[in-house]
């Protein structure tokens, strides 16, 4: 069995990240079983799929996501920066991505927030996931322990994951304290010892962002259950499906 392939922000190597085009391209690859996306809240409280706190890098708009209403954000072009073929791609709502992914891909939804930047973000995302009947298809992840605690308070049945980017500390203990079932970790922070000890405890491990075949091979040799999160699921396919 191959290490699960996770499309990072959709098929972001080819399509503009976190857009419906990137989601559709990921879904079109039958071996992609998971997708990682980022979610924030508009000024009027709509969960939207975008990575940066600012609109400047991936749209033709300016300023902060949290200061813009959804209707205004919809007028922005979130595709042209990646190529003319993607002109007119929009910043999608989380609801649109859930509708596309339902029954096809499982989702790792990162809540992009810090402190009390987005009051109500956790509830808005949980309500949407539950309204679609997708609780078992989704894991909510964050760097922020407070966010993960709030999720569990709102709905203890929701699967959660800690994003961990330190060379130090004890991620296993932190996961246990927060009731998380997944560790999302930079691939170069992952050691065979850590991978084995977490897998033995039943913790899922997602390594990001792995775009080279040799790194995918190294992780695969480390443990067969490490989820490989990549901008280039096509490289994963060439490596694991064609030898």
């Amino acid at each position: 069995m191959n290490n699960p392939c996770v499309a990072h922000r959709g098929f972001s190597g080819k399509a503009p990240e976190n857009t419906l085009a990137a989601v559709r391209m990921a879904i079109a690859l039958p071996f992609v079983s998971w997708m990682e996306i980022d979610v924030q809240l508009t000024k009027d409280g709509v969960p939207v799929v975008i990575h940066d706190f600012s609109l400047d890098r991936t749209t033709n708009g300016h300023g902060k996501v949290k200061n813009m209403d959804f209707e205004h954000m919809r007028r922005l072009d979130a595709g042209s920066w990646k190529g003319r073929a993607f002109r007119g791609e929009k910043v999608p709502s989380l609801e649109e991505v859930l509708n596309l992914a339902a029954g096809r891909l499982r989702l790792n939804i990162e809540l992009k927030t810090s402190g009390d930047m987005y009051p109500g973000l956790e509830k808005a995302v949980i309500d949407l996931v539950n309204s679609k009947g997708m609780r078992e298809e989704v894991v909510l992840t964050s760097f922020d322990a407070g966010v993960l605690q709030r999720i569990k308070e709102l709905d203890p049945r929701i699967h959660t994951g800690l994003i961990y980017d330190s060379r130090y500390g004890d991620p296993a203990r932190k996961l246990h304290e927060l009731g998380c079932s997944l560790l999302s970790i930079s691939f170069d922070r992952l050691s065979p010892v850590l991978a084995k000890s977490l897998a033995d405890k039943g913790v899922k491990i997602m390594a990001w962002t792995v775009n080279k075949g040799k790194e995918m091979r190294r992780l695969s040799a480390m443990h067969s259950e490490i989820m490989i999160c990549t901008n280039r699921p096509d490289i994963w396919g060439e490596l694991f499906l064609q030898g």
Side-chain angles (χ1 to χ4, degrees):
M1 175 131 154
N2 294 317
N3 294 68
C5 181
V6 186
H8 182 240
R9 306 178 195 169
F11 192 161
S12 58
K14 295 276 172 80
E17 62 178 61
N18 281 325
T19 61
L20 296 185
V23 173
R24 288 192 184 101
M25 284 175 81
I27 287 171
L29 297 172
F31 54 83
V32 174
S33 52
W34 281 81
M35 183 170 63
E36 187 270 351
I37 57 170
D38 306 282
V39 171
Q40 299 179 54
L41 273 189
T42 59
K43 188 178 179 183
D44 50 346
V46 178
V48 286
V49 179
I50 185 168
H51 176 271
D52 297 5
F53 293 133
S54 152
L55 294 154
D56 296 51
R57 180 176 65 89
T58 58
T59 79
N60 61 344
H62 302 288
K64 297 236 182 336
V65 171
K66 70 185 180 95
N67 295 334
M68 191 175 282
D69 286 339
F70 182 62
E71 195 184 327
H72 189 103
M73 195 177 286
R74 290 300 264 186
R75 297 190 204 126
L76 301 177
D77 179 332
S80 290
W81 66 276
K82 191 76 174 176
R84 276 163 55 187
F86 300 107
R87 183 182 296 156
E89 277 295 318
K90 308 276 183 259
V91 174
S93 67
L94 175 59
E95 183 165 21
E96 289 173 303
V97 173
L98 291 178
N99 289 342
L100 269 182
R104 292 166 162 166
L105 289 177
R106 298 179 76 183
L107 291 175
N108 173 340
I109 303 173
E110 179 180 347
L111 276 56
K112 293 296 289 188
T113 182
S114 183
D116 58 358
M117 183 181 206
Y118 288 121
L121 174 64
E122 299 88 357
K123 185 176 189 321
V125 171
I126 289 168
D127 287 352
L128 206 45
V129 166
N130 283 337
S131 76
K132 303 280 177 196
M134 290 177 70
R135 197 171 58 233
E136 291 307 313
E137 297 170 57
V138 163
V139 58
L140 304 185
T141 63
S142 180
F143 279 102
D144 189 316
V147 169
L148 297 169
Q149 282 161 339
R150 277 196 291 279
I151 292 166
K152 287 295 186 190
E153 282 160 17
L154 288 162
D155 188 342
R157 300 165 301 176
I158 291 272
H159 301 290
T160 54
L162 174 68
I163 307 172
Y164 196 81
D165 198 21
S166 170
R167 289 192 184 281
Y168 309 104
D170 181 356
R173 186 172 58 82
K174 196 109 175 117
L175 289 164
H176 181 70
E177 281 168 12
L178 294 166
C180 292
S181 55
L182 178 134
L183 179 71
S184 174
I185 188 168
S186 176
F187 78 89
D188 55 358
R189 300 274 193 267
L190 200 50
S191 68
V193 172
L194 180 59
K196 184 179 184 321
S197 75
L198 289 169
D200 288 350
K201 292 183 174 83
V203 173
K204 273 198 173 81
I205 304 162
M206 190 186 84
W208 44 268
T209 303
V210 194
N211 296 324
K212 294 191 171 135
K214 65 174 187 181
E215 296 297 354
M216 293 182 188
R217 250 196 214 98
R218 186 175 70 79
L219 289 164
S220 173
M222 203 181 280
H223 204 284
S224 63
E225 286 170 30
I226 295 170
M227 301 161 73
I228 294 176
C229 186
T230 179
N231 298 334
R232 295 293 306 271
D234 52 327
I235 291 176
W236 184 101
E238 288 163 15
L239 191 70
F240 291 110
L241 300 183
Q242 292 154 28

